[in-house]
Amino acid sequence: MRVAIAGAGAVGRSIAGELLENGHEVLLVDKAPTAISVERVPQAEWLLADACEITSLDEAALQRCNVVIAATGDDKVNLVVSLLAKTEYGVPRVVARVNNPKNEWLFNESWGVDVAVSTPRLMSALVEEAVSVGDLVRLLRFSHGDANLVELTLPPESALAGTRVGDVQWPEDTSLVTIIRGTRVLAPTPDDSLEAGDELLFVAAQAREEQLEDLLSVRREDAVG
């Protein structure tokens, strides 16, 4: 898979390193000469250019990319790069970094963004996830379909503890995608049973989040009574 990353700062280089380790082809683009540090990620391609310019993106052969990641520290730049990647070059997957949470509402399909990653939101979500059991934590927002990646740790008193996945009537527009149980990562099947302490990851429509949280957090005595 070929991936172009706009922004060769610490974030962009870190992403590039991970992708290269996984066998992907990576191009780093930055307009600042000081950001071009080939020795830090020598396996990547490097391009000194303004990613907001069509001529630069032509040079980067963006039409050959499977994914474009707008990872600069400037939200305006990330939006422009996303829009150009999607509308001018038809890149199938566009991921954009959100620096200021106040701008998060802009990072949607209208600007060509498939997935918006808000570092402040992720940090707060990780803090919430570390201290909360039974509370729904939003991890990522997907622009298409107004869906989110959300997580909830099943509390011991939940009425669903011990229930088969296939027997649960999940809310509409909700999909259980992963169960994290201790050190294991499980792809859920209908025959798997939910256990107290399971970290459950869902892709869910935002309008269904409250319903999902209520379902997972309901206490045994409430379900019986």
Side-chain angles (χ1 to χ4, degrees):
M1 182 171 68
R2 179 175 172 81
V3 182
I5 302 173
V11 173
R13 293 195 306 270
S14 177
I15 296 169
E18 292 285 340
L19 291 171
L20 287 163
E21 285 185 11
N22 290 326
H24 300 296
E25 181 183 347
V26 177
L27 168 66
L28 280 160
V29 183
D30 205 296
K31 68 177 181 179
T34 54
I36 304 299
S37 304
V38 178
E39 69 282 357
R40 295 191 180 185
V41 194
Q43 305 95 326
E45 298 176 47
W46 289 78
L47 178 63
L48 176 62
D50 186 345
C52 292
E53 297 286 343
I54 289 289
T55 53
S56 300
L57 299 180
D58 284 344
E59 187 177 354
L62 224 64
Q63 70 277 3
R64 291 178 43 225
C65 293
N66 306 101
V67 180
V68 165
I69 302 173
T72 79
D74 188 325
D75 285 345
K76 295 188 295 296
V77 171
N78 291 342
L79 285 170
V80 171
V81 170
S82 299
L83 184 62
L84 291 175
K86 184 65 71 175
T87 60
E88 297 295 326
Y89 298 91
V91 176
R93 191 73 164 168
V94 177
V95 179
R97 172 188 176 188
V98 184
N99 297 278
N100 186 339
K102 292 181 180 179
N103 296 329
E104 191 172 2
W105 66 277
L106 288 166
F107 286 73
N108 55 40
E109 60 183 351
S110 297
W111 281 93
V113 178
D114 294 306
V115 180
V117 181
S118 172
T119 303
R121 180 180 291 279
L122 277 176
M123 292 180 68
S124 64
L126 289 171
V127 171
E128 291 176 24
E129 189 273 337
V131 299
S132 60
V133 174
D135 293 328
L136 201 71
V137 178
R138 188 180 300 168
L139 299 176
L140 279 176
R141 179 176 62 81
F142 300 98
S143 299
H144 293 296
D146 193 28
N148 297 313
L149 177 67
V150 298
E151 183 269 353
L152 185 142
T153 300
L154 196 67
E157 66 274 14
S158 172
L160 292 186
T163 305
R164 290 175 66 254
V165 171
D167 292 336
V168 180
Q169 291 188 334
W170 302 110
E172 189 178 354
D173 300 324
T174 299
S175 177
L176 175 63
V177 293
T178 303
I179 300 173
I180 301 175
R181 182 173 296 158
T183 59
R184 300 175 63 199
V185 178
L186 308 175
T189 69
D191 291 328
D192 286 322
S193 293
L194 301 174
E195 296 183 6
D198 283 350
E199 292 184 48
L200 308 176
L201 272 66
F202 296 86
V203 173
Q206 187 167 331
R208 303 296 181 183
E209 289 180 3
E210 185 176 351
Q211 185 180 352
L212 178 62
E213 184 173 22
D214 290 344
L215 173 66
L216 293 166
S217 300
V218 65
R219 296 175 180 271
R220 294 179 188 274
E221 56 267 28
D222 294 335
V224 173

